[in-house]
């Protein structure tokens, strides 16, 4: 282990570019965001705020811990497309639920009015 | 059968499969394969997030009330545990790229312990739920939350956290396997892609929880 | 141009099967079961899916025989329900989804890319094992468990029926995993294992089709995995996710189910279209007309297909807003299919057409894909579908595509690539007879069903009013012809396997890349990585006349 040629070590450091410091920084920001989301969720619950913070945290994990900033385009496309189709699924279902006849919505009548099987 | 290391140093490069021309192509291929697999995991959880979104919309009262009754300290601790484990697995990857095998192994052990801690805390939470009667569907008899649709909240809760916990176990197993290979000296600065891939899977587990936590505990 | 003609002249005197090829390179059953050679895996898939097709066909014949008379004929109501469930699940999950990608995708993809194997050969073998496991579980689960929900497993019946569904659901979950891994493998293969000189615009159209299919497999299949898992959990735990008496929504099940199952039909049809794109060039001896349009329309179908699932739910209680939106989006898919059909026909136009069995199937395919597609646009129209939904009209529509397009394409692939895979030629005369029987039999089976559906006969009913009997008898007669055609194919292909004349390396004189190596290929496909210097299927330079060749 001690006889690695010097040029390869230096070459490797160049290749990596960054040290471990950025991981610690991201970790600190993630913890801060967690604190923020607990605070806002507990005292001023708001789903939009919670989702924004969560998306920000997730982006940090994806970009830095998962090295998406250095990843080839194909990998980025794959992950983004899977997120897009998740949203497509939600949009389609919500489009239905928000525009349906209110009688056929879940929760329209109290469950006690149905005969449980 | 060729190795990328021309006999230099004590660490052979990764095994180049017969159908790949170069190690670079092989590495690119396995990374793309892993990202595709992570894409499928996102879509697997998507269905549960869909169920959550739908039922939260129609039973907002129940969801809001039930969320207050979750153990927030447990959820927050678990979030911190997972984020820290993400850090440690990223550092482990960083370490092995610099040939620091022992550091890498230590960090992997720490990550695995974090996973165990997560599961234990989750177990304690589930135990609380069983005692309170806050159970899904037909088993629901939690007297403190009576708004209609409360049982569905717990259905979504148990299904999402259950599937997530299952993935924690899978991720933990993968990391244990990687750890075993690190301890055997298989990885080095010449050969570290499997550590990266194991880490990627673990980060996905963390990602899912980053969304589950506020949606379940903080609404 | 010189490479393929060199191959033909080498074997001009008498075609010979290479002494050592992938079939005999390693011997013994164990060498097959532990192989990582994509060609052997493709052959094992072929045997498996043909067995599945045989089973699915037997279930279909049982249904058709039952429908010969208005009252009960050979079975009761419950058995009939179990029979159409078996037919649907076996045909869709055990045959249609895995068939063309698993058999021909596996065998041909590396050859068409100039590669030695797929990106992850061991994962490929795992896919095959998962297929066998899932198939066995699903089949035995249905037979022993009495599953009668239909292949669509709609809640609340599926979640409340006393029949055990667990093995079937687990089987389908595992089959889904097999599908995902295959798709993943193919995407990585196409990205990383192309031979030097093979840019994206030189890929064969079958490769483009497999690429688009694999994208759908990877993105859509996890959703069905989750959905069947939820049904299973629901049966055991009564959690109420889809149960109105516990506040759930049964239509949510349909949304989740069809989010996969609609793109699933494109998993079935895209590879079929890819086969036709390749074969049509070979049998018209002409460059494909509109290569880029066909390639992009494959991606277009894959993409738009994800947005159209609600057209299966027009009468489920879905809102009319969503109904309209899904209807309009569904029609866009027709645009991409039409683009392909026009390009295929333009390829045939003024080509040097070889009248062989695959060409008969190609003509059948074109006819059926147009009619199936047009009736698809028809049922995508909400105001019409409210009458046609759950009638034989819908059944005829999707069988026109599933059987008329996809199975025709499977037969095209089987005949076109049979000499490549096994080095032998089948009997052309019998192949023509079978092709005629199949095309005619298909028409006779399913055209009456359009009329039945339009007249109001519901699907999944084992009895029907007297006035529908004549058309039902006609349909069953057609089905018998169809079955007879398939049996003939089975016989002459098995005969060809053992005693067929050696075909030579390129009996069709095709310019596809897979024909650049011997037939059957050696174990490692290519002795040296080929360098690609021409487009796929380039039969003439721009401005050059089509050479009229008699094969």
């Amino acid at each position: 282990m001690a006889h690695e040629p010097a040029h390869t070590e230096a070459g490797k450091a160049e290749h990596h570019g960054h040290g471990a410091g950025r991981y610690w920084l991201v970790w600190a920001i993630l913890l801060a965001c967690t604190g923020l989301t607990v605070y806002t969720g507990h005292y001023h619950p708001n789903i939009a705020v919670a989702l924004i913070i969560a998306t920000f945290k997730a982006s940090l994990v994806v970009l830095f811990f998962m090295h998406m900033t250095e990843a080839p385009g194909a990998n980025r496309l794959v992950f983004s497309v899977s997120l897009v189709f998740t949203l497509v699924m939600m949009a389609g279902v919500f489009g239905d639920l928000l525009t349906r006849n209110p009688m056929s919505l879940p929760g329209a009548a109290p469950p006690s009015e149905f005969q449980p099987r | 059968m060729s190795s990328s290391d021309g006999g230099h140093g004590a660490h052979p490069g990764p095994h180049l499969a017969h159908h790949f021309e170069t190690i670079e192509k092989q590495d690119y291929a396995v990374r793309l394969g892993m990202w595709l697999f992570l894409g499928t995991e996102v879509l697997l959880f998507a269905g549960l997030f869909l169920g959550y979104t739908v039922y939260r919309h129609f039973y907002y009262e129940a969801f809001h009330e039930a969320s207050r009754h979750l153990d927030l300290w447990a959820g927050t601790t678990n979030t911190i545990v997972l984020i820290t484990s993400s850090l440690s697995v990223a550092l482990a990857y960083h370490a092995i790229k610099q040939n620091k095998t022992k550091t890498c192994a230590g960090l992997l052990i720490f990550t695995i312990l974090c996973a165990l801690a997560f599961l234990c805390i989750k177990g304690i939470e589930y135990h609380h739920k069983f005692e309170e009667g806050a159970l899904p569907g037909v088993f629901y008899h939690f007297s403190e939350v009576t708004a209609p649709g409360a049982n569905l909240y717990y259905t979504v809760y148990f299904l999402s956290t259950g599937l997530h916990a299952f993935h924690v176990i899978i991720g933990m197993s993968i990391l244990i396997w990687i750890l075993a290979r690190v301890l055997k000296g298989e990885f080095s600065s010449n050969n570290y892609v499997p550590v990266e891939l194991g880490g990627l899977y673990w980060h996905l587990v963390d990602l899912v929880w980053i969304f589950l936590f506020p949606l379940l505990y903080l609404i | 141009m010189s490479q393929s003609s060199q191959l033909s002249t080498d074997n001009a005197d008498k075609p010979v099967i290479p002494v050592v090829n992938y079939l005999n390179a390693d011997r013994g059953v164990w060498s097959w079961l532990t192989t990582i050679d994509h060609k052997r895996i493709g052959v094992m898939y072929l045997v498996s899916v043909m067995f599945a097709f045989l089973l699915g066909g037997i279930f279909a014949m049982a249904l058709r025989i039952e429908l010969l008379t208005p009252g009960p004929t050979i079975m009761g109501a419950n058995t009939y329900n179990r029979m159409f469930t078996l037919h649907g699940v076996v045909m869709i999950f055990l045959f249609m989804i895995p068939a063309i990608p698993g058999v021909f995708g596996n065998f041909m993809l590396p050859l068409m890319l100039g590669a030695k194997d797929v990106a992850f050969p061991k994962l490929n073998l795992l896919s095959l094992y998962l297929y066998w496991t899932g198939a066995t579980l699903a089949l035995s689960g249905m037979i022993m468990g009495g599953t009668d929900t239909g292949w669509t497993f709609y809640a609340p019946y599926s979640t409340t029926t006393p029949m055990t569904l667990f093995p079937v659901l687990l089987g389908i979950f595992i089959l889904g995993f097999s599908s995902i891994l295959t798709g993943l493998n193919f995407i990585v293969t196409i990205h990383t294992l192309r031979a030097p000189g093979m840019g994206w615009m030189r890929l064969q159209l079958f490769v483009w089709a497999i690429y688009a299919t694999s994208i759908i497999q990877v993105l859509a299949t996890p959703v069905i995995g989750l959905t069947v898992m939820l049904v299973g959990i629901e049966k055991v735990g009564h959690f109420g996710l889809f149960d109105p008496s516990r506040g759930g929504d049964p239509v949510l099940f349909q949304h989740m189910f069809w989010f996969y199952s609609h793109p699933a039909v494109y998993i079935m049809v895209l590879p079929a279209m890819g086969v036709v794109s390749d074969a049509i060039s070979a049998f018209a001896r002409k460059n494909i007309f509109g290569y880029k349009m066909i390639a992009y329309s494959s991606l277009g179908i894959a993409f738009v297909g994800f947005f159209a699932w609600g057209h299966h739910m027009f009468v489920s209680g879905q809102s009319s807003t969503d109904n309209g939106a899904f209807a309009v989006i569904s029609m866009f898919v027709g645009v991409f299919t039409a683009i392909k059909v026009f390009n295929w026909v333009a390829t045939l136009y003024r080509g040097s057409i070889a009248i062989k069995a695959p060409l008969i199937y190609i003509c059948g395919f074109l006819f059926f894909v147009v009619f199936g597609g047009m009736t698809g646009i028809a049922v995508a129209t909400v105001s019409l579908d409210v009458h046609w939904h759950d009638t034989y009209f819908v059944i005829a529509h999707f069988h026109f595509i599933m059987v008329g397009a996809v199975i025709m394409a499977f037969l095209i692939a089987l005949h076109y690539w049979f000499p490549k895979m096994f080095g032998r030629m089948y009997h052309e005369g019998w192949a023509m007879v079978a092709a005629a029987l199949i095309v005619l039999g298909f028409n006779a089976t399913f055209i009456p069903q359009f009329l039945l559906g339009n007249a109001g006969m519901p699907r999944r009913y084992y009895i029907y009013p007297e006035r529908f009997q004549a058309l039902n008898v006609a349909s069953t007669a057609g089905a018998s012809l169809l079955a007879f055609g398939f049996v003939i194919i089975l016989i002459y292909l098995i005969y060809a396997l053992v005693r067929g004349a050696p075909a030579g390396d390129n009996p069709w004189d095709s310019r596809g890349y897979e024909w650049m190596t011997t037939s059957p290929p050696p174990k490692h496909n290519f002795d040296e990585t080929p360098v690609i210097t021409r487009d796929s299927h380039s039969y003439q330079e721009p401005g050059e006349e089509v050479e009229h060749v008699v094969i």
Side-chain angles (χ1 to χ4, degrees):
Chain A
M1 209 188 291
H3 297 293
E4 289 294 320
H7 66 273
T8 15
E9 276 294 2
K12 292 231 164 19
E14 256 175 53
H15 175 71
H16 296 167
H18 61 86
R22 61 158 51 173
Y23 297 131
W24 287 96
L25 180 62
V26 169
W27 176 72
I29 299 177
L30 286 171
L31 288 182
C33 286
T34 306
L36 180 65
T37 200
V38 170
Y39 175 78
T40 54
H42 201 64
Y43 295 107
H44 312 285
N46 182 328
I47 191 99
V49 171
L51 277 175
I52 290 173
I53 299 177
T55 309
F56 178 68
K57 285 164 81 176
S59 314
L60 285 179
V61 172
V62 169
L63 288 171
F64 295 106
F65 282 167
M66 295 168 90
H67 307 106
M68 188 71 108
T69 47
E70 304 154 2
N75 298 357
R76 297 188 208 194
L77 190 64
V78 163
F79 199 67
S80 333
V81 169
S82 59
L83 293 173
V84 166
F85 281 126
T86 306
L87 295 172
V88 167
M89 190 162 70
M90 298 211 183
V93 176
F94 256 85
D96 170 27
L97 287 166
L98 293 175
T99 52
R100 240 195 246 174
N101 180 339
M103 268 196 336
S104 58
L105 290 173
S112 56
E113 289 198 6
F114 294 100
Q115 293 303 313
R117 288 170 201 270
Chain B
M1 279 307 169
S2 56
S3 145
S4 67
D5 187 341
H8 242 300
H11 303 285
H15 168 65
L16 178 67
H18 74 281
H19 54 288
F20 281 107
E21 282 166 22
T22 62
I23 280 290
E24 284 73 36
K25 275 235 161 106
Q26 181 173 285
D27 286 346
Y28 176 79
V30 293
R31 285 190 184 113
L32 179 60
M34 184 46 124
W35 277 103
L36 280 164
F37 187 66
L38 295 184
T40 69
E41 293 279 30
V42 168
L43 275 142
L44 184 73
F45 278 96
L48 284 175
F49 280 107
L50 176 70
Y52 168 89
T53 318
V54 167
Y55 291 125
R56 180 182 172 278
H57 180 86
F58 290 105
Y59 300 118
Y60 179 68
E61 280 300 316
F63 271 51
H64 184 66
E65 248 187 273
S67 163
R68 303 278 124 190
H69 283 84
L70 284 185
D71 303 315
L72 184 59
W73 67 270
T76 312
T77 312
N78 265 345
T79 309
I80 296 174
V81 163
L82 272 189
I83 291 178
T84 312
S85 70
S86 256
L87 170 72
S88 59
V89 83
L91 287 173
Y93 167 63
H94 192 79
I96 196 67
K97 276 207 298 188
Q98 297 176 328
N99 238 352
K100 297 180 184 160
T101 317
K102 292 212 185 80
T103 317
C104 176
L107 285 163
L108 284 175
I109 291 175
F110 180 75
T111 312
I112 293 165
L113 289 175
C114 284
L116 273 170
F118 179 92
L119 290 171
C120 289
I121 299 177
K122 207 90 217 83
I124 295 173
E125 275 191 274
Y126 277 10
H127 185 67
H128 276 179
K129 302 267 169 330
F130 286 138
E131 286 182 331
E132 289 172 334
L135 294 171
V138 76
F139 305 107
Y140 183 74
H141 55 275
F142 188 30
S143 49
E144 291 182 39
V145 184
T146 51
N151 60 327
L152 275 176
Y153 174 84
Y154 287 102
T155 302
V156 173
Y157 172 83
F158 276 101
L159 285 173
S160 330
T161 56
L163 189 64
H164 178 258
F166 180 65
H167 281 80
V168 169
I169 296 174
I170 297 178
M172 205 167 75
S173 317
I174 293 176
L175 289 175
I176 292 175
W177 178 53
I178 300 283
L179 173 68
R181 294 166 73 184
V182 169
L183 290 172
K184 271 198 284 191
E186 203 179 308
F187 299 128
S188 65
S189 51
N190 277 338
N191 178 9
Y192 53 78
V193 172
V195 179
E196 182 184 352
L197 299 181
L200 279 178
Y201 191 83
W202 187 252
H203 289 305
L204 181 84
V205 168
D206 184 25
L207 271 179
V208 174
W209 183 257
I210 284 177
F211 280 98
L212 277 184
F213 173 59
L215 292 178
L216 290 174
Y217 290 79
L218 295 169
I219 48 152
Chain C
M1 199 131 133
S2 49
Q3 258 181 328
S4 49
S5 42
Q6 218 169 26
L7 281 170
S8 337
T9 34
D10 277 355
N11 299 304
D13 305 304
K14 205 175 177 219
V16 188
I17 299 174
V19 174
V20 179
N21 54 60
Y22 79 96
L23 285 167
N24 55 27
D26 305 297
R27 294 194 176 273
V29 175
W30 191 246
S31 77
W32 278 83
L33 290 176
T34 54
T35 186
I36 53 170
D37 179 1
H38 66 99
K39 301 182 290 300
R40 286 189 165 197
I41 293 177
V43 170
M44 287 191 280
Y45 262 110
L46 179 64
V47 173
S48 315
V49 303
M50 284 180 82
F51 181 65
F53 186 66
L54 178 68
L55 279 181
I58 291 174
F59 299 138
M61 278 317 294
L63 291 172
R64 288 283 6 132
I65 292 173
E66 168 56 36
L67 289 171
L68 274 173
T69 73
T73 315
I74 53 168
M75 59 178 87
N78 190 253
T79 313
Y80 188 81
N81 292 357
R82 297 178 57 186
M83 201 59 75
F84 67 67
T85 307
L86 277 162
H87 172 69
V89 173
V90 168
M91 280 307 201
I92 290 179
F93 291 111
L94 275 65
F95 181 77
M96 302 286 287
I97 300 266
I100 299 181
V103 179
F104 303 108
N106 260 318
F107 200 103
M108 299 299 159
L109 189 65
L111 292 174
M112 290 180 178
L113 297 175
K116 295 203 172 89
D117 211 309
V118 290
F120 307 121
K122 291 191 198 141
L123 211 64
N124 208 5
L125 184 65
L126 178 65
S127 280
L128 179 66
Y129 274 107
L130 288 175
Y131 170 78
W132 283 337
T133 312
T136 311
L137 264 173
L139 200 54
S140 59
M142 284 186 288
I143 292 175
M144 300 202 289
T147 315
D148 59 349
T149 55
W151 80 275
T152 45
F153 295 107
Y154 273 13
Y157 182 60
S158 60
T159 52
T160 54
T161 177
M163 308 282 189
T164 172
L165 288 181
F166 184 71
V168 182
L169 297 173
L170 183 62
I172 291 178
F173 187 88
I174 294 176
L175 284 166
F177 227 107
S178 167
S179 186
I180 289 175
L181 293 178
T182 301
L184 193 152
N185 222 335
F186 287 168
I187 293 178
V188 179
T189 307
I190 295 174
H191 272 265
T192 59
L193 286 174
R194 299 193 305 274
M198 176 135 12
W200 283 85
M201 288 299 142
R202 279 190 173 154
L203 289 175
Q204 277 176 248
L205 287 169
F206 182 64
V207 176
W208 275 104
I210 291 286
Y211 186 65
T213 307
S214 303
I215 294 175
I216 306 179
Q217 280 177 296
V218 165
L219 290 177
T221 317
V223 180
I224 192 80
L226 182 78
T227 311
V228 297
M229 208 166 78
L230 288 178
V231 172
I233 292 174
E234 185 70 13
K235 279 182 76 60
V236 171
H238 309 293
F239 288 1
L241 211 51
F242 305 127
D243 187 350
S245 70
R246 301 193 208 289
D249 183 14
V251 180
L252 182 65
F253 170 84
Q254 294 190 32
H255 276 293
M256 291 174 70
F257 179 83
W258 288 111
F259 186 80
Y260 163 75
S261 301
H262 187 72
V265 314
Y266 300 114
I267 297 177
M268 304 179 215
V269 96
L270 277 171
M273 294 179 166
V275 169
V276 170
S277 299
D278 265 10
I280 212 168
S281 288
F283 287 94
R285 283 204 72 73
K286 198 162 162 265
N287 301 4
I288 191 87
F289 189 94
Y291 170 91
K292 278 197 183 156
M293 292 302 283
I294 299 187
Y296 291 144
S297 65
S298 296
L299 294 178
I301 292 178
F303 185 66
V304 178
F306 268 99
F307 294 76
W309 78 89
H311 64 235
H312 298 271
M313 297 164 58
F314 284 155
V315 298
S316 64
Q318 184 174 247
S319 73
S320 30
T321 313
D322 254 31
N323 276 356
F326 281 123
V328 170
I329 296 172
S330 305
M331 303 210 184
F332 276 118
V333 183
V335 172
F336 295 115
T337 311
I339 290 176
K340 289 181 184 247
V341 171
F342 289 136
N343 281 307
W344 288 324
V345 172
T347 307
L348 285 175
Y349 178 64
R350 303 193 84 173
S352 168
I353 298 190
I355 310 282
K356 299 276 167 184
L359 188 88
I360 308 296
Y361 289 120
I362 288 176
C363 294
F365 173 93
L366 287 172
F367 179 77
F368 298 139
V369 84
V370 168
F371 273 85
M374 289 197 327
T375 50
I377 301 297
V379 289
T381 312
V382 183
S383 50
L384 297 175
D385 190 54
V386 289
H387 302 283
W388 285 329
H389 180 76
D390 270 350
T391 67
Y392 266 82
F393 194 91
V394 176
I395 293 195
H397 153 66
F398 67 70
H399 280 90
F400 255 71
I401 299 289
M402 299 287 113
V403 183
V406 179
I407 294 194
M408 291 300 126
F410 184 83
L411 293 172
I412 294 170
L414 197 55
H415 288 75
Y416 175 51
W417 282 319
F418 187 86
K420 175 94 254 164
M421 291 168 78
F422 303 111
R424 294 182 188 270
M425 208 44 173
Y426 51 83
H427 190 279
E428 183 62 32
W430 279 110
M432 293 292 235
V433 167
L437 277 174
I438 287 190
V439 173
L440 291 170
F442 175 86
N443 277 314
T445 311
F446 291 106
I447 291 181
Q449 292 189 9
F450 275 123
L451 301 169
L452 279 170
N454 201 37
M457 179 172 169
R459 64 186 286 195
R460 294 179 170 174
Y461 277 43
Y462 83 121
I463 54 176
Y464 53 79
E466 284 271 345
R467 65 184 186 277
F468 293 145
Q469 183 170 22
L471 286 171
N472 269 302
V473 171
S475 181
T476 305
S480 314
L481 271 183
L482 197 54
F484 192 42
F486 282 120
V487 168
I488 294 182
I489 296 181
L490 189 66
I491 296 176
Y492 70 69
L493 283 182
I494 293 182
Y495 182 83
L497 266 180
V498 288
R499 289 184 134 195
D505 288 343
N506 192 355
W508 311 114
D509 209 12
S510 163
R511 302 274 166 86
Y513 299 132
E514 73 275 21
W515 299 97
M516 293 190 315
T517 181
T518 59
S519 303
K523 186 170 169 189
H524 288 292
N525 296 349
F526 300 99
D527 294 318
E528 278 170 25
T529 310
V531 177
I532 307 298
T533 52
R534 59 168 177 88
D535 291 342
S536 71
H537 284 293
S538 57
Y539 294 89
Q540 72 259 39
E541 302 297 322
E544 201 185 324
E545 278 292 311
V546 171
E547 47 171 293
H548 281 257
V549 169
V550 177
I551 300 179

